[in-house]
């Protein structure tokens, strides 16, 4: 107890999870992860964002002990996950992507099992609280197979929380989940974070990362392309766009405007100007003046910031080697 | 040692047993009763005694062994195969339990169940045939050792199997024939001399012979050899399981 508290205060700035030079090649020869280096900060919500097959589940599996790394080291809460696997795993809770449940068990039996399996003494009051928080208390005696998909997802969350982990992994938590559960889940995630739990979630929904995360790691084809504070990422890579709806369609961009990064829509009705949101001088005033000089009139004008989605698409489709 | 973890697995497995308690009891009791009616009464009445033991009594230890082997293997193999099949093994793999602890949980529960069943069959047999147990301590020792050994063996099969067919193939194609040919229903002196020799390659012979000795003091092979062989099987299974866990064979990607 004393050492744990000491470690907490001493390490509050050191990462809670540290992944170093991790590679994973599956038995078939497929390399699912390439030289991953990643630090998760204590107490943050970290979103691992990437398309299907990017390697998110593999990376989580490595940290949780389900998948064996081909090379590299992983430290969880100060413990090497291989040498000191007991201490490392005792701190981690995992909600898997797939709805793997014991059909014939009752909800209560299965959470009780999880708590015991992770080496914790029985604590009915704590488990009751977990079930109540997840609106599962009324279903505690129901067999899991009688529950809906959303309820099963709640059961998996309850199982993951049964041993009071300090690190919680949520692998695609909102896949196939209704609005109500998503709402409950995010409320729970924020509460857990407020209590000091570190949360790592994977998603291919960009809005989810945008809503929830403090930091975002983008993974694509087994490579971690970027890891950044959400705000910084959006600022750094964010673009603004000015959309002009023209009064009269054009067949092409006049020669005098070729210096501007303009894109004309196919029907010639809409002109889009992209500019860096970071720049002091956006160039809008000058563009509008130049348009007027060319006699181009517009009936509407809108500007918008690029979403994380745009950033993501640009990152993932950026040719290799250009990310720095 | 994660005692809570072992307890959780053990209870989980025992709960699975008790959920199907009725099937678990009725089927073996019914089949054993049929054996006693057919072999003990109908055919047994035409058979002479074997070493001064009535035929009905003679087959009891063999029948118990037959059930013990099948139950141990099927309980343990099913126990570890199910989480693999249903995907719930993720929790076991991510939990702070060593494989030795997982083993104690699964094998302990499977062995418990088959010992309970063995005792139940002995009780059922008493209804049909009177018998005495000459060496009760050895009888219990053989029962426990065999249950643990074959639960270990079943556990290995459950780890290895990647389909229900494979899960059932080993008990059906190997263990059942070996048990039937292992002297459950006859003494091996009743076989022609060549077959007596061949039979000695069947490990089940030693188990049944030793077990029968604990009842009636009669044996096909020296009881010391039976005890040695039983421990030998136990060690073989333990070493194999240790190797499986050490290499992560078929468990972790
Ligand atoms: N057990 C496995 N054996 C071989 N390849 C695998 C295995 N599991 C995953 N993969 C492959 O590794 C890649 C990454 O998978 P995964 O980590 O599940 O991605 P994500 O979770 O980002 O969708 C995929 O191409 C997948 O096909
Ligand atoms: Mg995945």
């Amino acid at each position: 107890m004393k050492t744990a508290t000491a470690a907490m205060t001493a390490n509050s700035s050191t990462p809670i999870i540290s992944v170093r030079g991790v590679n994973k090649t599956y038995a078939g020869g497929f390399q699912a992860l390439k030289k991953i280096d990643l630090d998760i900060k204590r107490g943050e919500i970290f979103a691992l964002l990437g398309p299907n097959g990017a390697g998110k589940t593999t990376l989580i599996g490595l940290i949780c002990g389900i998948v064996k790394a081909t090379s590299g080291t992983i430290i969880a809460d100060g413990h090497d996950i291989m040498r000191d696997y007991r201490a490392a795993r005792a701190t981690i809770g995992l909600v898997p992507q797939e709805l793997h449940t014991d059909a014939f068990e009752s909800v209560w039996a299965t959470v009780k099992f999880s708590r015991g399996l992770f080496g914790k003494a029985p604590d009915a009051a704590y488990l009751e609280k977990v079930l109540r928080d997840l609106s599962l208390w009324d279903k505690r005696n129901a067999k899991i197979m009688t529950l809906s998909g959303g309820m099963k997802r709640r059961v998996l969350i309850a199982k993951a929380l049964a041993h009071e982990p300090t690190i919680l992994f949520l692998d695609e938590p909102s896949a196939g989940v209704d609005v109500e559960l998503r709402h409950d889940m995010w409320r729970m995630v924020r509460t857990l974070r407020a209590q000091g739990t570190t949360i790592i979630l994977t998603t291919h929904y960009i809005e989810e990362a945008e809503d929830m995360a403090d930091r975002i790691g983008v993974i694509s084809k087994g490579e971690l392309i970027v890891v950044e504070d959400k705000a910084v990422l959006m600022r750094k890579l964010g673009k603004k766009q000015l959309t002009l709806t023209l009064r009269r369609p054009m067949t092409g961009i006049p020669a005098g405007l070729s210096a501007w990064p303009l894109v004309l829509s196919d029907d010639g009705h809409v002109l889009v100007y992209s500019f860096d949101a970071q720049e002091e001088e956006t160039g809008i005033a000058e563009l509008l003046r130049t348009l007027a000089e060319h006699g181009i009139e517009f009936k509407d004008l809108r500007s918008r910031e690029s979403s994380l989605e745009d950033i993501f698409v640009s990152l993932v489709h950026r040719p290799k080697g250009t990310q720095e | 040692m994660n005692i809570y973890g072992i307890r959780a697995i053990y209870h989980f497995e025992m709960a699975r047993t008790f959920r199907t308690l009725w099937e678990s009891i009725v089927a073996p009791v019914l089949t054993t009763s049929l054996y006693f009616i057919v072999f003990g009464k109908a055919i047994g009445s035409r058979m002479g005694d074997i070493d001064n033991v009535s035929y009905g009594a003679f087959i009891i230890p063999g029948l118990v062994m037959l059930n013990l082997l099948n139950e141990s293997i099927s309980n343990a193999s099913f126990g570890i195969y199910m989480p693999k099949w249903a995907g719930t093994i993720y929790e076991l793999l991510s939990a702070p339990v060593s494989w030795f602890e997982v083993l104690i949980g699964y094998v302990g529960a499977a062995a418990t169940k088959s010992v309970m069943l063995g005792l139940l069959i002995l009780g059922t047999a008493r209804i049909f045939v009177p018998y005495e147990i000459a060496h009760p301590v050895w009888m219990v020792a053989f029962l426990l050792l065999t249950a643990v050994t074959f639960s270990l063996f079943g556990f290995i099969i459950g780890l290895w199997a990647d389909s229900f067919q494979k899960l059932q193939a080993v008990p059906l194609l190997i263990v059942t024939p070996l048990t039937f040919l292992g002297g459950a229903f006859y003494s091996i002196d009743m076989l022609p001399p060549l077959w007596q020799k061949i039979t000695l390659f069947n490990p089940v012979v030693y188990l049944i012979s030793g077990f029968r000795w604990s009842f009636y003091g009669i044996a096909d092979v020296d009881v010391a050899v039976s005890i040695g062989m039983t421990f030998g099987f136990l060690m073989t299974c333990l070493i194999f399981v240790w190797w499986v866990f050490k290499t992560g064979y078929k468990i972790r990607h």
Side-chain angles (χ1 to χ4, degrees):
Chain A
M1 205 58 215
K2 213 162 124 200
T3 51
T5 324
M8 284 281 269
T9 38
N11 293 342
S12 56
S13 59
T14 58
I16 192 161
I17 293 177
S18 172
V19 178
R20 285 286 167 274
V22 163
N23 288 288
K24 174 62 190 176
T25 305
Y26 278 110
F30 178 77
Q31 188 169 10
L33 290 176
K34 295 165 195 159
K35 223 175 156 312
I36 302 286
D37 289 304
L38 174 64
D39 284 338
I40 306 290
K41 294 179 187 166
R42 195 173 287 275
E44 73 175 338
I45 299 179
F46 186 90
L48 200 55
L49 182 64
N52 275 326
K56 304 181 293 295
T57 300
T58 303
L59 182 54
I60 287 189
L62 283 168
I63 300 171
C64 293
I66 296 165
V67 181
K68 252 180 160 169
T70 310
S71 60
T73 54
I74 300 172
I75 309 288
D77 209 6
H79 311 287
D80 184 295
I81 62 147
M82 294 300 285
R83 258 183 296 119
D84 208 1
Y85 71 94
R86 277 186 203 272
R89 292 182 192 172
T91 63
I92 298 176
L94 165 66
V95 182
Q97 179 175 355
E98 308 290 338
L99 289 177
H100 296 311
T101 52
D102 289 301
F104 302 103
E105 287 288 313
S106 73
V107 171
W108 180 254
T110 201
V111 293
K112 208 167 144 240
F113 169 79
S114 295
R115 187 174 170 88
L117 190 64
F118 278 75
K120 285 275 187 151
D123 184 344
Y126 173 75
L127 293 183
E128 177 174 342
K129 186 179 172 306
V130 169
L131 292 187
R132 284 192 189 280
D133 286 349
L134 286 160
S135 314
L136 279 171
W137 183 244
D138 294 339
K139 297 276 184 193
R140 65 188 175 280
N141 295 320
K143 280 192 175 162
I144 298 171
M145 64 179 175
T146 65
L147 302 178
S148 67
M151 284 308 227
K152 282 184 185 146
R153 177 78 57 188
R154 286 174 200 253
V155 171
L156 288 178
I157 298 172
K159 280 168 76 74
L161 292 175
H163 66 282
E164 304 165 60
T166 50
I167 305 168
L168 180 66
F169 284 94
L170 295 159
D171 197 357
E172 309 262 350
S174 52
V177 151
D178 58 30
V179 179
E180 188 193 2
L181 174 51
R182 200 176 299 193
H183 180 257
D184 283 6
M185 209 154 55
W186 294 149
R187 203 191 44 204
M188 188 202 70
V189 164
R190 291 201 170 94
T191 312
L192 285 170
R193 202 258 303 260
Q195 292 163 357
T197 309
T198 307
I199 291 140
I200 297 107
L201 58 95
T202 74
T203 181
H204 55 263
Y205 295 119
I206 288 141
E207 313 82 64
E208 207 158 274
E210 209 168 339
D211 279 359
M212 296 298 303
D214 300 313
R215 287 198 311 146
I216 293 174
V218 177
I219 187 169
S220 167
K221 301 199 179 87
E223 286 180 279
L224 206 50
I225 309 175
V226 70
V227 177
E228 199 65 88
D229 271 7
K230 180 179 62 186
V232 174
L233 185 68
M234 311 252 331
R235 218 172 332 115
K236 207 151 110 184
L237 297 163
K239 287 252 194 289
K240 279 198 169 181
Q241 286 184 334
L242 182 72
T243 307
L244 299 160
T245 310
L246 304 176
R247 201 170 284 285
R248 286 180 303 275
M250 300 194 298
T251 49
I253 295 171
L257 287 169
S258 60
W260 297 87
L262 293 171
V263 179
L264 185 67
S265 67
D266 288 342
D267 63 3
H269 274 288
V270 180
L271 200 58
V272 179
Y273 167 58
S274 300
F275 56 97
D276 198 327
Q278 291 309 99
E279 298 286 318
E280 276 292 307
E281 193 55 60
T282 59
I284 292 179
E286 188 161 358
L287 174 68
L288 296 184
R289 217 167 24 243
T290 318
L291 288 176
E293 280 167 15
H294 286 78
I296 300 168
E297 291 174 30
F298 51 90
K299 53 184 179 192
D300 187 29
L301 163 155
R302 271 174 300 133
S303 94
R304 89 180 171 94
E305 256 176 273
S306 57
S307 63
L308 189 53
E309 174 132 28
D310 302 327
I311 297 173
F312 179 68
V313 168
S314 73
L315 274 173
V316 169
H317 292 124
R318 199 170 349 183
K320 248 181 137 169
T322 60
Q323 57 254 40
E324 283 313 293
Chain B
M1 199 78 167
N2 180 354
I3 300 293
Y4 290 120
I6 298 175
R7 269 213 327 232
I9 296 171
Y10 185 85
H11 282 154
F12 179 90
E13 282 299 290
M14 290 312 282
R16 193 167 63 81
T17 300
F18 287 118
R19 260 199 308 268
T20 54
L21 188 61
W22 204 230
E23 294 93 323
S24 311
I25 292 176
V26 169
V29 169
L30 188 73
T31 31
T32 316
S33 304
L34 290 174
Y35 273 114
F36 282 116
I37 292 164
V38 174
F39 290 104
K41 294 262 183 274
I43 296 175
S45 61
R46 306 272 176 97
M47 300 272 290
D49 291 358
I50 301 173
D51 294 329
N52 296 322
V53 178
S54 79
Y55 186 69
F58 181 86
I59 64 171
I60 291 171
L63 268 180
V64 172
M65 274 291 158
L66 191 111
N67 279 285
L68 202 64
L69 262 51
N70 277 326
E71 284 294 316
S72 299
I73 291 172
S74 72
N75 286 329
S77 62
F78 206 73
I80 190 65
Y81 179 75
M82 280 309 284
K84 287 204 308 175
W85 178 77
T88 51
I89 193 137
Y90 84 86
E91 201 179 13
L92 219 50
L93 294 176
S94 64
V97 286
S98 69
W99 272 99
F100 189 61
E101 289 156 358
V102 172
L103 193 74
I104 297 175
Y106 277 104
V107 170
T112 305
K113 186 182 172 188
S114 50
V115 166
M116 285 176 359
L117 188 87
L119 296 174
L120 188 72
I121 291 171
L122 280 179
T124 312
R126 203 78 177 80
I127 302 168
F128 296 90
V129 194
Y131 62 87
E132 305 275 312
I133 299 170
H135 311 285
V137 176
W138 278 111
M139 191 281 276
V140 172
F142 272 114
L143 204 63
L144 289 177
L145 270 176
T146 311
V148 169
T149 304
F150 282 82
S151 296
L152 268 172
F153 184 58
F155 190 82
I156 295 168
I157 293 171
L159 284 177
W160 159 81
D162 46 22
S163 66
F164 276 101
Q165 280 86 345
K166 280 192 187 169
L167 196 64
Q168 281 159 350
V170 176
L172 201 69
L173 298 180
I174 300 174
V175 179
T176 306
L178 286 183
T179 332
F180 272 84
L181 300 175
F185 302 107
Y186 53 80
S187 163
I188 61 174
D189 328 320
M190 294 157 96
L191 297 172
L194 178 63
W195 278 101
Q196 288 190 23
K197 293 263 168 3
I198 294 172
T199 295
L200 293 178
F201 288 99
N202 179 355
V204 181
V205 166
Y206 301 92
L207 299 173
I208 293 180
S209 169
F211 196 48
R212 187 177 289 131
W213 169 84
S214 72
F215 281 74
Y216 312 121
I218 54 166
D220 287 328
V221 290
D222 194 319
V223 67
V225 177
S226 287
I227 294 168
M229 287 300 235
T230 311
F231 271 106
F233 300 144
L234 182 63
M235 291 326 281
T236 310
C237 288
L238 275 175
I239 290 167
F240 191 73
V241 167
W242 172 82
W243 173 81
V244 165
F245 293 157
K246 198 170 164 286
T247 55
Y249 169 78
K250 284 216 180 197
I251 306 166
R252 281 198 170 81
H253 292 297

